Amino acid sequence: MKKRNFLALLPIGVFLVLYLGLGVVFEYVLKISMGFYKIPIVVVFLIALIVACILKPKMKLDDKLAVMSKGVGDKNIVTMLLIFMAAGVFVGVVGRSSAESVAYFVLSFIPARFAVLVLFVVSAFVSLAMGTSVGTITLIAPIAVAVSGSSGFSVPLCLGAVVGGAMFGDNLSFISDTTIAACNGQGCKMQDKFKANFWIALPAALATVAILAFQTIGADVGEAVVKEYNLIQIIPYVLVLLGGIVGINVFLVLIIGIVSGAIIMLVTGATPATELLANMGSGVSGMFETSMVAVLVAAICALINEYGGFEALLSLIKKVFKGKKGGTLGMGLLVGAMDIATANNTVAIVMANPIAKEMAQNYNIKPRKAASILDTFSCVFQGIIPYGAQMLVALTVATDLGHTVSAFDVIPHLIYPFMLLLSSLIFIFLIPEKK
């Protein structure tokens, strides 16, 4: 057993102080739009890694490099990186026009009084298929603003429905960064995590639908938004979604999605043959930062573990959170705290993974449940914080379309994240765990 050493946690502290501190200065002091996302997170993690290397000066640098290499070369880290790249290729191939097709298709035959419900459900499906909440909001938020203008529902209500639906898919999607990070970090199959996660997310989604229906169905509204759509382009998304649910290997699922997407995009003329490879490259490039963060965090955590930092943190957690249920809640709050500090749910999971794995062993929490809790709580906090990318993108879209909306106008309408938190607490404390 390693000796407890709280000083070994200093690299995490340095990262949080630099990233959170600079984020607050950029966003709220200098008033820079999306200030948190102007900070190069890879550079900040690199500084934290240098701090980790400086600690324990008696240990040779070669020995430290060996420890880092072992951490970065872990099977779960390598698998995670490969899945990130494959998912990037898939998103690059299929593009995003199909998401708009889904929205306009549903809006074309659903009465306008159900428009807000449609925005939530469509956002949930699109995010589930695409694996990205930010991408979903980028696509559906302009539609939400158009729906608000034509129907009479408020812009904050429509945006809240979109953000909530996007977080539903982000939490459950097989190709979401958060799912990939949580499953590989805890060593469980995506299908097993999905099953555990589904029974937390479904009640929250149903409760959200019920609340939105109560708020909107009786309203006096105008006409719905109708535009052209092409449903054949959603086939690759459906194939990926169904393949993941039935348990096909994630790499094979993504290859099926990539091949089918390429064929459909070429046949329909949505993407010229000369641009297809470039789009694949752009998709992979979009995963660069996330992949580098995973590598740097793996190296930092390997050193922290070697120095005894995790032993110190676990001893503190055990004093505060008692029993299996307390440990499960502690795991959720741990990743939530990381998310508040980083404003990035994938990074929060990657940072929390090594500690959470130790907690899972100490508290006898199954890997599928640990992965589910990490993903769920990270999405709860990411869906609510006013400086997260999801909220900032939604507000930017509204501003660009001529509407002045603040985060605090939208937060009261973020029904799904709050329902997901409630469902998670019920799941932890009241629902018996299956064997």
Side-chain angles (χ1 to χ4, degrees):
M1 185 175 178
K2 297 183 181 70
K3 187 177 180 181
R4 298 170 187 171
N5 180 12
F6 281 100
L7 183 61
L9 298 171
L10 180 62
I12 295 178
V14 168
F15 169 79
L16 296 178
V17 169
L18 284 177
Y19 190 77
L20 185 60
L22 288 173
V24 169
V25 171
F26 278 31
E27 187 77 34
Y28 300 107
V29 178
L30 300 179
K31 305 294 183 182
I32 298 174
S33 177
M34 296 188 72
F36 271 87
Y37 298 89
K38 302 295 184 183
I39 302 166
I41 192 169
V42 172
V43 174
V44 180
F45 268 120
L46 190 58
I47 294 171
L49 178 59
I50 293 171
V51 172
C53 289
I54 294 172
L55 292 176
K56 204 171 182 180
K58 292 182 179 180
M59 186 177 180
K60 294 180 179 178
L61 180 59
D62 281 349
D63 293 335
K64 292 176 181 177
L65 288 172
V67 171
M68 287 188 279
S69 298
K70 187 176 180 180
V72 174
D74 182 87
K75 175 187 173 184
N76 291 323
I77 298 296
V78 174
T79 303
M80 187 192 308
L81 294 174
L82 292 174
I83 296 174
F84 279 152
M85 287 189 284
V89 172
F90 172 72
V91 172
V93 166
V94 298
R96 295 176 173 179
S97 58
S98 55
E100 295 180 357
S101 292
V102 174
Y104 288 125
F105 167 69
V106 178
L107 286 168
S108 68
F109 64 87
I110 296 293
R113 65 179 180 277
F114 296 105
V116 178
L117 285 175
V118 169
L119 289 172
F120 173 75
V121 173
V122 167
S123 298
F125 172 79
V126 170
S127 185
L128 193 61
M130 290 179 64
T132 165
S133 54
V134 173
T136 298
I137 294 167
T138 301
L139 292 170
I140 309 299
I143 301 173
V145 174
V147 166
S148 171
S150 63
S151 67
F153 291 119
S154 72
V155 172
L157 175 61
C158 292
L159 291 178
V162 171
V163 173
M167 297 315 299
F168 172 88
D170 196 337
N171 184 206
L172 287 177
S173 175
F174 285 88
I175 59 172
S176 166
D177 295 357
T178 58
T179 296
I180 296 168
C183 290
N184 284 280
Q186 298 306 309
C188 75
K189 295 179 180 178
M190 291 189 182
Q191 185 184 26
D192 293 338
K193 181 262 184 187
F194 178 85
K195 289 177 180 177
N197 215 156
F198 182 77
W199 297 112
I200 303 175
L202 180 62
L206 293 176
T208 301
V209 168
I211 294 171
L212 287 175
F214 177 78
Q215 290 181 334
T216 62
I217 286 180
D220 183 18
V221 297
E223 297 296 323
V225 178
V226 179
K227 288 190 178 182
E228 293 183 359
Y229 49 85
N230 187 350
L231 284 182
I232 194 173
Q233 293 179 7
I234 75 167
I235 291 175
Y237 290 131
V238 174
L239 290 176
V240 168
L241 184 58
L242 293 178
I245 291 173
V246 300
I248 300 174
N249 181 276
V250 65
F251 286 112
L252 182 57
V253 167
L254 286 169
I255 289 171
I256 292 171
I258 291 167
V259 172
S260 63
I263 292 172
I264 289 171
M265 291 298 161
L266 290 174
V267 170
T268 60
T271 302
T274 54
E275 293 182 10
L276 190 62
L277 282 175
N279 290 346
M280 290 182 180
S282 297
V284 174
S285 297
M287 291 292 187
F288 170 77
E289 185 174 82
T290 301
S291 298
M292 287 307 302
V293 165
V295 169
L296 290 171
V297 170
I300 293 168
C301 289
L303 288 175
I304 291 174
N305 186 44
E306 180 68 21
Y307 300 161
F310 289 160
E311 289 295 329
L313 186 58
L314 285 169
S315 68
L316 180 63
I317 289 172
K318 285 180 181 178
K319 290 179 181 179
V320 178
F321 299 98
K322 305 295 184 181
K324 190 172 184 177
K325 293 180 179 180
T328 305
L329 176 61
M331 187 182 294
L333 295 179
L334 170 69
V335 77
M338 296 291 189
D339 188 80
I340 290 172
T342 63
N344 186 309
N345 45 345
T346 304
V347 174
I349 292 172
V350 171
M351 290 180 67
N353 257 331
I355 305 168
K357 196 163 188 176
E358 294 284 342
M359 290 177 67
Q361 293 172 355
N362 278 272
Y363 287 99
N364 194 28
I365 300 169
K366 289 183 173 63
R368 65 173 182 265
K369 186 171 184 177
S372 175
I373 289 297
L374 286 175
D375 199 346
T376 300
F377 272 80
S378 72
C379 284
V380 166
F381 284 88
Q382 185 68 21
I384 295 172
I385 56 175
Y387 50 87
Q390 290 77 2
M391 178 68 77
L392 295 176
V393 167
L395 297 179
T396 299
V397 168
T399 300
D400 290 345
L401 294 175
H403 296 270
T404 303
V405 182
S406 77
F408 298 100
D409 293 328
V410 179
I411 287 175
H413 300 290
L414 293 172
I415 300 169
Y416 178 74
F418 289 112
M419 290 298 102
L420 185 60
L421 176 60
L422 177 61
S423 182
S424 300
L425 295 176
I426 292 173
F427 175 78
I428 292 172
F429 292 104
L430 300 180
I431 305 300
E433 186 176 359
K434 294 181 180 179
K435 296 184 179 179

